[in-house]
Amino acid sequence: MTGATENQAPDPGGKVAVVIVAAGRGARAGQTDGPKQYQRIGGRAVIARVIDIFLAHPLIGRIVVAIHTEDRELFQQAVGTDADRVTAIAGGATRQDSVRLGLQALRSYAPDKVLIHDAARPFVDMDLIDRTIAAIGEREGALPALPVADTLKRESETGMVGETVPRSGLHTAQTPQGFPFLAIMTMHEQAYNSGKSDFTDDASIAEWMQMPVKLVPGSPDNVKLTWARDIAMAHQRLSSERTHFPDIRTGNGYDVHAFEPGDHVTLCGVAIPHDRKLSGHSDADVGLHALTDALLATCGAGDIGTHFPPSDPQWKGAASRIFVEHAARLVRERGGRIANADITLICEAPRVGPHREAMTSVLSQMLGISAERISVKATTNEKLGFVGREEGIAAIATASVVFPGEVPE
């Protein structure tokens, strides 16, 4: 069982991968309408929130999600278009086995580091991920943890207090736990071959194999949803946050390119046969260039020339989807969610209508949003100006992005 991976964002330098464990049944949560990772909190599935945060992190490359064999449809419904940006595999009978299978799925990718995270922890944040990645060494793992604050009591055989356990030096473990990839994969394989299947987390396997694991500060918000009450409280927390006025931003973009001799034009990522092509340093896709500027405008990130200077030879002939995906990634890194994109192509020829569906499909993949949130339109210039004289094509794009929090005063 695999999901499409061709749309996975390219890795920046360090090759950090993630295994998300989501094959459990969540019996303790007492849910009758599906496992807890698929319950909705604040309007979205728990697992969708987890995947979102890792997709948005600039250091994360490949993401593998271990799901139950019976949950494929649940997973697709919960995650939506993000399902095409991760690899879903069939998990095992235990958490430990699901992690092992997830690591195996990353073998050909061979990341330098891997994070292992429980799908039932939807409040993991960027800072915690940063701390964990930074603490992973060549021969040591990293474990986010919090010092135990409560007094601990050991129960006697009669159900009475047997003794008080000193809490000094004790911590509660969280995820994501991080490790050098080859080392933790080898440890999991050795545990499996030894018949050991009772490890409750990956730091325990590292401890068994005598790998040092560094403690890093966890987050009190990074709670694991275990009981039905946890899910209800998480929903209440997020619903309360949603009562704040959202920060909705709209960006505009405009681009124009002249014709030159050629046999096709590329518009909104689709090659269309034509008696000329558009002149430009990249593939001169006016629709995607305008959209890139619109997305960058929503987070104050400059314009397309700031990130991809036409004077830089590496962008000669480049596919413009690179520019759009880069801008969309910057939006997500800043906490934004793309709500919709609207592109108007202004040209006398070629005809855009027959290619609109293909353009919408390509844009949906680039932006990670559903087709219903995308509009591609075309109009002529009534034979007026350079467009009317068929000297070139222009495009106007508008993007709306929702950021968390209140609108600043």
Short mmCIF file of all heavy atoms in Angstrom, two decimals, residues 282-337:
data_model
loop_
_atom_site.label_atom_id
_atom_site.label_comp_id
_atom_site.label_asym_id
_atom_site.label_seq_id
_atom_site.Cartn_x
_atom_site.Cartn_y
_atom_site.Cartn_z
N SER A 282 13.00 31.29 -18.29
CA SER A 282 12.54 29.95 -17.93
C SER A 282 11.66 29.44 -19.06
O SER A 282 11.92 29.74 -20.23
CB SER A 282 11.78 29.99 -16.62
OG SER A 282 10.61 30.80 -16.75
N ASP A 283 10.59 28.68 -18.73
CA ASP A 283 9.68 28.25 -19.79
C ASP A 283 8.65 29.33 -20.13
O ASP A 283 7.74 29.10 -20.93
CB ASP A 283 8.98 26.95 -19.41
CG ASP A 283 8.13 27.07 -18.15
OD1 ASP A 283 7.97 28.19 -17.62
OD2 ASP A 283 7.62 26.04 -17.68
N ALA A 284 8.76 30.53 -19.50
CA ALA A 284 7.93 31.70 -19.81
C ALA A 284 6.45 31.46 -19.59
O ALA A 284 5.61 32.00 -20.30
CB ALA A 284 8.20 32.18 -21.24
N ASP A 285 6.12 30.65 -18.58
CA ASP A 285 4.71 30.37 -18.27
C ASP A 285 4.13 31.57 -17.52
O ASP A 285 4.30 31.72 -16.31
CB ASP A 285 4.62 29.11 -17.41
CG ASP A 285 3.20 28.61 -17.23
OD1 ASP A 285 2.28 29.45 -17.18
OD2 ASP A 285 3.00 27.39 -17.12
N VAL A 286 3.42 32.45 -18.26
CA VAL A 286 2.93 33.69 -17.64
C VAL A 286 1.96 33.41 -16.50
O VAL A 286 1.93 34.14 -15.51
CB VAL A 286 2.26 34.61 -18.68
CG1 VAL A 286 3.26 35.23 -19.60
CG2 VAL A 286 1.19 33.86 -19.47
N GLY A 287 1.12 32.36 -16.64
CA GLY A 287 0.15 32.05 -15.60
C GLY A 287 0.82 31.69 -14.29
O GLY A 287 0.46 32.19 -13.22
N LEU A 288 1.84 30.82 -14.35
CA LEU A 288 2.52 30.40 -13.13
C LEU A 288 3.41 31.51 -12.57
O LEU A 288 3.59 31.60 -11.35
CB LEU A 288 3.35 29.14 -13.39
CG LEU A 288 2.55 27.88 -13.78
CD1 LEU A 288 3.46 26.65 -13.75
CD2 LEU A 288 1.36 27.67 -12.87
N HIS A 289 3.96 32.35 -13.42
CA HIS A 289 4.76 33.48 -12.93
C HIS A 289 3.89 34.46 -12.15
O HIS A 289 4.26 34.93 -11.07
CB HIS A 289 5.45 34.20 -14.08
CG HIS A 289 6.53 33.39 -14.73
ND1 HIS A 289 7.38 33.88 -15.70
CD2 HIS A 289 6.90 32.10 -14.55
CE1 HIS A 289 8.23 32.95 -16.07
NE2 HIS A 289 7.94 31.84 -15.40
N ALA A 290 2.71 34.74 -12.68
CA ALA A 290 1.79 35.64 -11.98
C ALA A 290 1.33 35.02 -10.67
O ALA A 290 1.23 35.70 -9.64
CB ALA A 290 0.59 35.96 -12.86
N LEU A 291 1.06 33.70 -10.67
CA LEU A 291 0.63 33.02 -9.45
C LEU A 291 1.74 33.02 -8.39
O LEU A 291 1.47 33.19 -7.20
CB LEU A 291 0.21 31.59 -9.78
CG LEU A 291 -0.24 30.73 -8.60
CD1 LEU A 291 -1.43 31.36 -7.87
CD2 LEU A 291 -0.58 29.31 -9.06
N THR A 292 2.98 32.82 -8.82
CA THR A 292 4.10 32.85 -7.87
C THR A 292 4.16 34.19 -7.14
O THR A 292 4.29 34.25 -5.92
CB THR A 292 5.43 32.60 -8.62
OG1 THR A 292 5.40 31.32 -9.23
CG2 THR A 292 6.61 32.66 -7.64
N ASP A 293 4.03 35.29 -7.89
CA ASP A 293 4.05 36.62 -7.27
C ASP A 293 2.86 36.80 -6.32
O ASP A 293 3.00 37.43 -5.26
CB ASP A 293 4.04 37.70 -8.34
CG ASP A 293 5.43 38.01 -8.87
OD1 ASP A 293 6.41 37.59 -8.22
OD2 ASP A 293 5.54 38.67 -9.91
N ALA A 294 1.70 36.28 -6.70
CA ALA A 294 0.52 36.41 -5.84
C ALA A 294 0.73 35.69 -4.52
O ALA A 294 0.40 36.21 -3.44
CB ALA A 294 -0.72 35.86 -6.55
N LEU A 295 1.29 34.47 -4.55
CA LEU A 295 1.55 33.72 -3.32
C LEU A 295 2.59 34.41 -2.45
O LEU A 295 2.43 34.53 -1.23
CB LEU A 295 2.01 32.30 -3.67
CG LEU A 295 0.96 31.37 -4.27
CD1 LEU A 295 1.61 30.12 -4.84
CD2 LEU A 295 -0.09 30.99 -3.22
N LEU A 296 3.67 34.86 -3.06
CA LEU A 296 4.73 35.54 -2.30
C LEU A 296 4.19 36.80 -1.63
O LEU A 296 4.61 37.16 -0.53
CB LEU A 296 5.90 35.87 -3.22
CG LEU A 296 6.69 34.68 -3.78
CD1 LEU A 296 7.70 35.14 -4.81
CD2 LEU A 296 7.39 33.91 -2.66
N ALA A 297 3.23 37.47 -2.30
CA ALA A 297 2.68 38.71 -1.74
C ALA A 297 1.92 38.47 -0.45
O ALA A 297 1.85 39.35 0.41
CB ALA A 297 1.75 39.36 -2.77
N THR A 298 1.36 37.27 -0.26
CA THR A 298 0.57 37.02 0.95
C THR A 298 1.42 36.91 2.21
O THR A 298 0.89 36.98 3.31
CB THR A 298 -0.27 35.73 0.81
OG1 THR A 298 0.61 34.59 0.73
CG2 THR A 298 -1.16 35.79 -0.43
N CYS A 299 2.71 36.71 2.05
CA CYS A 299 3.57 36.60 3.25
C CYS A 299 4.76 37.55 3.17
O CYS A 299 5.78 37.32 3.84
CB CYS A 299 4.02 35.16 3.47
SG CYS A 299 4.84 34.38 2.07
N GLY A 300 4.65 38.59 2.34
CA GLY A 300 5.71 39.61 2.29
C GLY A 300 7.06 39.07 1.91
O GLY A 300 8.09 39.50 2.44
N ALA A 301 7.09 38.12 0.96
CA ALA A 301 8.34 37.45 0.61
C ALA A 301 8.93 37.92 -0.71
O ALA A 301 9.64 37.18 -1.37
CB ALA A 301 8.10 35.93 0.57
N GLY A 302 8.65 39.16 -1.10
CA GLY A 302 9.23 39.68 -2.32
C GLY A 302 8.49 39.22 -3.55
O GLY A 302 7.30 38.93 -3.51
N ASP A 303 9.21 39.11 -4.67
CA ASP A 303 8.59 38.67 -5.91
C ASP A 303 9.43 37.57 -6.54
O ASP A 303 10.46 37.15 -5.99
CB ASP A 303 8.39 39.84 -6.88
CG ASP A 303 9.70 40.52 -7.27
OD1 ASP A 303 10.78 39.92 -7.05
OD2 ASP A 303 9.65 41.64 -7.80
N ILE A 304 8.99 37.09 -7.69
CA ILE A 304 9.64 35.95 -8.33
C ILE A 304 11.11 36.25 -8.64
O ILE A 304 11.97 35.37 -8.52
CB ILE A 304 8.86 35.54 -9.59
CG1 ILE A 304 9.37 34.21 -10.14
CG2 ILE A 304 8.90 36.63 -10.65
CD1 ILE A 304 8.49 33.65 -11.24
N GLY A 305 11.41 37.50 -9.02
CA GLY A 305 12.79 37.85 -9.34
C GLY A 305 13.71 37.83 -8.13
O GLY A 305 14.91 37.63 -8.26
N THR A 306 13.13 38.03 -6.93
CA THR A 306 13.93 37.97 -5.71
C THR A 306 14.47 36.57 -5.48
O THR A 306 15.62 36.39 -5.06
CB THR A 306 13.06 38.38 -4.50
OG1 THR A 306 12.49 39.67 -4.74
CG2 THR A 306 13.89 38.42 -3.22
N HIS A 307 13.63 35.57 -5.74
CA HIS A 307 14.01 34.18 -5.46
C HIS A 307 14.63 33.48 -6.65
O HIS A 307 15.44 32.56 -6.47
CB HIS A 307 12.76 33.42 -5.01
CG HIS A 307 12.13 33.97 -3.78
ND1 HIS A 307 12.40 33.48 -2.51
CD2 HIS A 307 11.23 34.98 -3.60
CE1 HIS A 307 11.70 34.17 -1.62
NE2 HIS A 307 10.98 35.09 -2.26
N PHE A 308 14.26 33.89 -7.87
CA PHE A 308 14.75 33.23 -9.08
C PHE A 308 15.19 34.29 -10.09
O PHE A 308 14.51 34.55 -11.08
CB PHE A 308 13.66 32.34 -9.68
CG PHE A 308 13.11 31.33 -8.72
CD1 PHE A 308 11.92 31.59 -8.03
CD2 PHE A 308 13.77 30.15 -8.47
CE1 PHE A 308 11.40 30.68 -7.13
CE2 PHE A 308 13.26 29.22 -7.57
CZ PHE A 308 12.08 29.49 -6.89
N PRO A 309 16.33 34.95 -9.86
CA PRO A 309 16.77 36.03 -10.74
C PRO A 309 16.96 35.54 -12.17
O PRO A 309 17.60 34.50 -12.40
CB PRO A 309 18.12 36.45 -10.13
CG PRO A 309 18.10 35.93 -8.73
CD PRO A 309 17.28 34.69 -8.76
N PRO A 310 16.43 36.25 -13.16
CA PRO A 310 16.61 35.84 -14.55
C PRO A 310 18.07 35.87 -14.99
O PRO A 310 18.42 35.26 -16.00
CB PRO A 310 15.76 36.84 -15.33
CG PRO A 310 15.56 38.01 -14.42
CD PRO A 310 15.57 37.45 -13.03
N SER A 311 18.91 36.57 -14.23
CA SER A 311 20.33 36.60 -14.55
C SER A 311 21.06 35.33 -14.14
O SER A 311 22.20 35.10 -14.53
CB SER A 311 20.98 37.81 -13.86
OG SER A 311 20.81 37.72 -12.44
N ASP A 312 20.41 34.49 -13.33
CA ASP A 312 21.03 33.26 -12.85
C ASP A 312 20.85 32.16 -13.90
O ASP A 312 19.72 31.77 -14.21
CB ASP A 312 20.36 32.83 -11.54
CG ASP A 312 21.12 31.70 -10.85
OD1 ASP A 312 21.81 30.94 -11.55
OD2 ASP A 312 20.99 31.57 -9.62
N PRO A 313 21.94 31.63 -14.46
CA PRO A 313 21.82 30.64 -15.55
C PRO A 313 21.14 29.35 -15.15
O PRO A 313 20.66 28.62 -16.01
CB PRO A 313 23.29 30.40 -15.96
CG PRO A 313 24.10 30.82 -14.77
CD PRO A 313 23.34 31.94 -14.13
N GLN A 314 21.07 29.03 -13.84
CA GLN A 314 20.46 27.75 -13.46
C GLN A 314 18.96 27.71 -13.74
O GLN A 314 18.35 26.64 -13.79
CB GLN A 314 20.70 27.46 -11.97
CG GLN A 314 19.95 28.34 -11.02
CD GLN A 314 20.10 27.87 -9.58
OE1 GLN A 314 19.87 26.71 -9.26
NE2 GLN A 314 20.52 28.78 -8.70
N TRP A 315 18.34 28.89 -13.94
CA TRP A 315 16.90 28.90 -14.20
C TRP A 315 16.59 28.97 -15.69
O TRP A 315 15.42 29.06 -16.06
CB TRP A 315 16.24 30.07 -13.46
CG TRP A 315 16.58 30.10 -12.01
CD1 TRP A 315 17.19 31.11 -11.31
CD2 TRP A 315 16.35 29.05 -11.07
NE1 TRP A 315 17.36 30.76 -10.00
CE2 TRP A 315 16.86 29.50 -9.82
CE3 TRP A 315 15.78 27.78 -11.15
CZ2 TRP A 315 16.80 28.71 -8.67
CZ3 TRP A 315 15.73 26.99 -10.01
CH2 TRP A 315 16.24 27.45 -8.79
N LYS A 316 17.59 28.93 -16.55
CA LYS A 316 17.35 28.97 -18.00
C LYS A 316 16.58 27.73 -18.42
O LYS A 316 17.02 26.60 -18.20
CB LYS A 316 18.68 29.06 -18.76
CG LYS A 316 18.50 29.20 -20.27
CD LYS A 316 19.82 29.41 -20.96
CE LYS A 316 19.65 29.51 -22.47
NZ LYS A 316 18.74 30.60 -22.86
N GLY A 317 15.41 27.93 -18.99
CA GLY A 317 14.57 26.83 -19.45
C GLY A 317 13.87 26.06 -18.34
O GLY A 317 13.24 25.03 -18.61
N ALA A 318 13.93 26.54 -17.09
CA ALA A 318 13.35 25.80 -15.95
C ALA A 318 11.83 25.76 -16.04
O ALA A 318 11.19 26.70 -16.52
CB ALA A 318 13.79 26.46 -14.64
N ALA A 319 11.26 24.67 -15.56
CA ALA A 319 9.80 24.56 -15.48
C ALA A 319 9.29 25.48 -14.37
O ALA A 319 9.79 25.46 -13.24
CB ALA A 319 9.40 23.12 -15.17
N SER A 320 8.30 26.28 -14.68
CA SER A 320 7.84 27.29 -13.73
C SER A 320 7.11 26.71 -12.53
O SER A 320 6.88 27.42 -11.55
CB SER A 320 6.93 28.30 -14.45
OG SER A 320 7.66 29.02 -15.40
N ARG A 321 6.75 25.42 -12.57
CA ARG A 321 6.14 24.82 -11.39
C ARG A 321 7.12 24.86 -10.20
O ARG A 321 6.69 24.88 -9.04
CB ARG A 321 5.66 23.39 -11.65
CG ARG A 321 6.74 22.34 -11.83
CD ARG A 321 6.11 20.95 -11.96
NE ARG A 321 5.38 20.58 -10.76
CZ ARG A 321 4.34 19.76 -10.75
NH1 ARG A 321 3.87 19.27 -11.88
NH2 ARG A 321 3.75 19.44 -9.61
N ILE A 322 8.42 24.87 -10.49
CA ILE A 322 9.42 24.99 -9.42
C ILE A 322 9.18 26.28 -8.63
O ILE A 322 9.26 26.30 -7.40
CB ILE A 322 10.84 24.98 -10.00
CG1 ILE A 322 11.16 23.64 -10.67
CG2 ILE A 322 11.88 25.29 -8.92
CD1 ILE A 322 12.46 23.63 -11.44
N PHE A 323 8.87 27.37 -9.34
CA PHE A 323 8.67 28.66 -8.70
C PHE A 323 7.40 28.65 -7.84
O PHE A 323 7.40 29.15 -6.72
CB PHE A 323 8.57 29.76 -9.76
CG PHE A 323 9.67 29.77 -10.78
CD1 PHE A 323 9.47 30.31 -12.05
CD2 PHE A 323 10.92 29.22 -10.49
CE1 PHE A 323 10.48 30.32 -13.00
CE2 PHE A 323 11.94 29.22 -11.43
CZ PHE A 323 11.72 29.76 -12.69
N VAL A 324 6.32 28.08 -8.38
CA VAL A 324 5.06 28.02 -7.64
C VAL A 324 5.20 27.16 -6.39
O VAL A 324 4.76 27.54 -5.30
CB VAL A 324 3.93 27.48 -8.54
CG1 VAL A 324 2.65 27.27 -7.72
CG2 VAL A 324 3.65 28.45 -9.68
N GLU A 325 5.81 25.99 -6.52
CA GLU A 325 5.95 25.10 -5.38
C GLU A 325 6.84 25.72 -4.30
O GLU A 325 6.60 25.54 -3.10
CB GLU A 325 6.50 23.75 -5.83
CG GLU A 325 5.47 22.95 -6.63
CD GLU A 325 6.04 21.71 -7.28
OE1 GLU A 325 7.29 21.58 -7.33
OE2 GLU A 325 5.25 20.85 -7.73
N HIS A 326 7.86 26.47 -4.71
CA HIS A 326 8.70 27.18 -3.75
C HIS A 326 7.88 28.22 -2.99
O HIS A 326 7.96 28.31 -1.76
CB HIS A 326 9.86 27.85 -4.49
CG HIS A 326 10.69 28.76 -3.63
ND1 HIS A 326 11.66 28.30 -2.77
CD2 HIS A 326 10.68 30.12 -3.49
CE1 HIS A 326 12.22 29.31 -2.15
NE2 HIS A 326 11.65 30.44 -2.57
N ALA A 327 7.07 29.00 -3.71
CA ALA A 327 6.25 30.03 -3.06
C ALA A 327 5.22 29.40 -2.13
O ALA A 327 4.99 29.89 -1.02
CB ALA A 327 5.55 30.88 -4.12
N ALA A 328 4.60 28.29 -2.56
CA ALA A 328 3.62 27.61 -1.71
C ALA A 328 4.27 27.08 -0.44
O ALA A 328 3.68 27.12 0.65
CB ALA A 328 2.95 26.48 -2.48
N ARG A 329 5.50 26.59 -0.57
CA ARG A 329 6.22 26.08 0.60
C ARG A 329 6.53 27.20 1.59
O ARG A 329 6.41 27.03 2.81
CB ARG A 329 7.50 25.37 0.16
CG ARG A 329 8.21 24.62 1.27
CD ARG A 329 9.16 23.57 0.71
NE ARG A 329 10.17 24.14 -0.16
CZ ARG A 329 10.20 23.99 -1.48
NH1 ARG A 329 9.28 23.28 -2.09
NH2 ARG A 329 11.18 24.54 -2.20
N LEU A 330 6.91 28.37 1.07
CA LEU A 330 7.16 29.52 1.96
C LEU A 330 5.88 29.91 2.71
O LEU A 330 5.94 30.26 3.90
CB LEU A 330 7.67 30.71 1.14
CG LEU A 330 9.08 30.61 0.57
CD1 LEU A 330 9.42 31.87 -0.20
CD2 LEU A 330 10.10 30.39 1.68
N VAL A 331 4.75 29.88 2.02
CA VAL A 331 3.48 30.20 2.67
C VAL A 331 3.22 29.22 3.81
O VAL A 331 2.85 29.62 4.93
CB VAL A 331 2.32 30.16 1.64
CG1 VAL A 331 0.97 30.17 2.34
CG2 VAL A 331 2.42 31.34 0.69
N ARG A 332 3.40 27.91 3.55
CA ARG A 332 3.14 26.91 4.60
C ARG A 332 4.11 27.04 5.76
O ARG A 332 3.72 26.85 6.92
CB ARG A 332 3.22 25.50 4.00
CG ARG A 332 2.06 25.16 3.05
CD ARG A 332 2.03 23.67 2.75
NE ARG A 332 3.23 23.23 2.08
CZ ARG A 332 3.39 23.18 0.76
NH1 ARG A 332 2.40 23.58 -0.03
NH2 ARG A 332 4.51 22.75 0.23
N GLU A 333 5.36 27.35 5.47
CA GLU A 333 6.35 27.50 6.54
C GLU A 333 5.97 28.63 7.49
O GLU A 333 6.33 28.61 8.67
CB GLU A 333 7.74 27.77 5.94
CG GLU A 333 8.36 26.56 5.29
CD GLU A 333 9.62 26.91 4.52
OE1 GLU A 333 10.08 28.07 4.64
OE2 GLU A 333 10.15 26.04 3.80
N ARG A 334 5.26 29.61 6.98
CA ARG A 334 4.82 30.74 7.81
C ARG A 334 3.45 30.50 8.43
O ARG A 334 2.84 31.40 8.99
CB ARG A 334 4.81 32.02 6.97
CG ARG A 334 6.21 32.52 6.63
CD ARG A 334 6.21 33.43 5.41
NE ARG A 334 7.49 34.09 5.19
CZ ARG A 334 8.55 33.50 4.66
NH1 ARG A 334 8.50 32.24 4.28
NH2 ARG A 334 9.69 34.18 4.48
N GLY A 335 2.97 29.26 8.34
CA GLY A 335 1.72 28.89 8.97
C GLY A 335 0.49 29.13 8.12
O GLY A 335 -0.64 28.98 8.60
N GLY A 336 0.65 29.50 6.85
CA GLY A 336 -0.50 29.80 6.00
C GLY A 336 -1.07 28.57 5.32
O GLY A 336 -0.36 27.60 5.06
N ARG A 337 -2.37 28.63 5.03
CA ARG A 337 -3.04 27.60 4.27
C ARG A 337 -3.68 28.27 3.05
O ARG A 337 -4.44 29.22 3.18
CB ARG A 337 -4.12 26.89 5.10
CG ARG A 337 -3.55 26.05 6.22
CD ARG A 337 -4.64 25.29 6.94
NE ARG A 337 -5.37 24.44 6.04
CZ ARG A 337 -4.97 23.22 5.65
NH1 ARG A 337 -3.83 22.75 6.11
NH2 ARG A 337 -5.70 22.49 4.83
#
